[in-house]
Each structure stands twice: as C-alpha cells, then as structure tokens.
Amino acid sequence: MQDDLQHTDAEAGVVARVEQRHAEDRVLDTGALRALAHPLRVRIYDILSQYGPQTASSLAEKLGESSGSTSYHLRALAKQDLIQECTDRGTGRERWWERPIGGVSFANADAMKTPAGRAATQIVMKEFFRNRQEQLMTFMNAGIASAGEEWESGTMISTATARLTPEQSKDLSIKIMALIDDAVDKYRNQTGEDVRPVTIRADLFPLPDLGGQS
C-alpha cells in the first residue's frame, strides 16, 4: 500500500510540474497567427527554434532567399513578438534574431471562431507539419547511417497503437511531455564537439472509427 501511495504521489508531482510549466505557454492570438501564416515565415520560425539565433544573411543562405526578403519577414515576426533581437550580439549592420524561450500553442479557440483566424491557423499548421514531414523524409532518404554510426543507437522512429480511454490518453501525454520537458531544460544550451540539434516528436491522437470492434 505504501508503494502505491508513493507511486501516486510521484505521478501527481509529474502532472503538477507539466501543467504548471505549460500553463505559461503562449497561445497565439489572431494577429500573431496571421503574421506567421506565410510558408517562409514558418520556416524561419522553425530554423530559429531548432538551430538558434540567426541573421537575415544566414537565413537567406539556408533558405535560398535574398537577405532583403528574410529581413522583411523577420521584422513582420518581430512585430508580433514571435521573435526578438539578440541584445548581446551583432552590430548595427548585422542584427541577430532569436525565438524567445517558452512553449507556443497554435490552438486558439477564439481565433478559430473567425474566418481570418481559421484561415491563418490552417496555413500555419499546414506549413508546420509539412516542414516536419519534410525533415523526417530527408533523414529517411539519406539513410539513418548518414548521421554517423554514433547516432544509430540514439535515433528512434517508431509508431505504436494502444486502446485507451480519454483519461488514459491524457495520463500518457503528460508522462511523455514530462520526459521531453526535462530533456529540453537540461540540454537546451548544451555545446560541444558531438552536440547537434535533435528534433523530439510526440503524436498522440485517437484514430477514426472504422466500425467493427469497439
């Protein structure tokens, strides 16, 4: 019984920690969603999220765009505080930009009530998941070994299915998010010879009802 109580207390602590952390996530309003609702801006936002601070020139090189174009889109994102200027680096001629630390949610119920909000949300989500799938397919097409043998045991692409209730699904999602949060907090600013950005993905959603077994 004592072990059961300790296990329950530990789980309650995980839930409280995750809920407290993500209660501070920024839910993007219609203005921010509309500012982000452009394929190139979503890619810029992703690069800043995954690779850290960039300049208009470094983004232009990565994206095959002109620095004038990336500079324009950076300013549009900055107007909605989606990104911010790095105050500790750069010069008057070369400004560095970063994505503020903290979670962001595209799911804004109020925004979805308006045509503009729905359209912006759909564009952002479509581009976000398109980029996400493109990164996965690029990795798969190159072959897992392309990352180097030392990465093989640390790479995971997995899909599984379980039969859950809504409450069990919520419990599982919180446990997964706790693991991800801990890794992000511990290694967010890590540097070193063997360190490189790693994308951590988690999908958990109910499958459509196809009839038959329930």
Side-chain angles (χ1 to χ4, degrees), residues 33-211:
L33 287 167
R34 292 180 67 179
L36 192 56
H38 185 288
L40 188 56
R41 292 178 192 173
V42 173
R43 294 193 67 187
I44 289 173
Y45 192 73
D46 271 348
I47 290 175
L48 293 176
S49 298
Q50 295 174 335
Y51 293 93
Q54 304 286 327
T55 66
S57 297
S58 67
L59 286 167
E61 182 177 355
K62 290 176 173 63
L63 295 168
E65 299 284 337
S66 69
S67 58
S69 175
T70 54
S71 179
Y72 169 78
H73 290 298
L74 283 166
R75 291 195 299 272
L77 293 172
K79 285 181 180 179
Q80 292 293 331
D81 297 321
L82 290 163
I83 64 172
Q84 61 189 18
E85 188 172 358
C86 302
T87 58
D88 59 343
R89 62 193 305 179
T91 64
R93 295 185 60 186
E94 187 175 53
R95 303 167 72 182
W96 286 78
W97 299 91
E98 64 184 354
R99 211 209 89 174
I101 293 174
V104 170
S105 173
F106 303 140
N108 186 326
D110 290 335
M112 292 297 289
K113 294 177 182 178
T114 67
R118 284 195 300 274
T121 301
Q122 289 169 356
I123 292 173
V124 172
M125 294 299 291
K126 178 181 177 181
E127 289 302 317
F128 174 80
F129 284 107
R130 188 186 66 78
N131 291 343
R132 179 174 173 175
Q133 183 65 13
E134 186 178 276
Q135 286 183 328
L136 175 59
M137 293 310 299
T138 297
F139 176 71
M140 293 297 295
N141 290 335
I144 293 177
S146 65
E149 293 183 1
E150 66 275 15
W151 282 97
E152 288 190 35
S153 62
T155 298
M156 181 180 72
I157 300 172
S158 174
T159 299
T161 304
R163 298 181 64 83
L164 306 175
T165 66
E167 188 60 35
Q168 290 166 342
S169 183
K170 178 182 177 181
D171 178 65
L172 179 57
S173 68
I174 288 175
K175 290 177 180 177
I176 293 171
M177 188 56 67
L179 288 172
I180 294 173
D181 288 345
D182 288 345
V184 170
D185 288 342
K186 186 174 182 179
Y187 301 116
R188 176 185 285 114
N189 297 317
Q190 182 175 220
T191 59
E193 182 178 349
D194 295 327
V195 175
R196 59 189 290 183
V198 171
T199 183
I200 307 170
R201 304 173 180 225
D203 295 323
L204 184 65
F205 57 89
L207 296 174
D209 184 3
L210 299 182

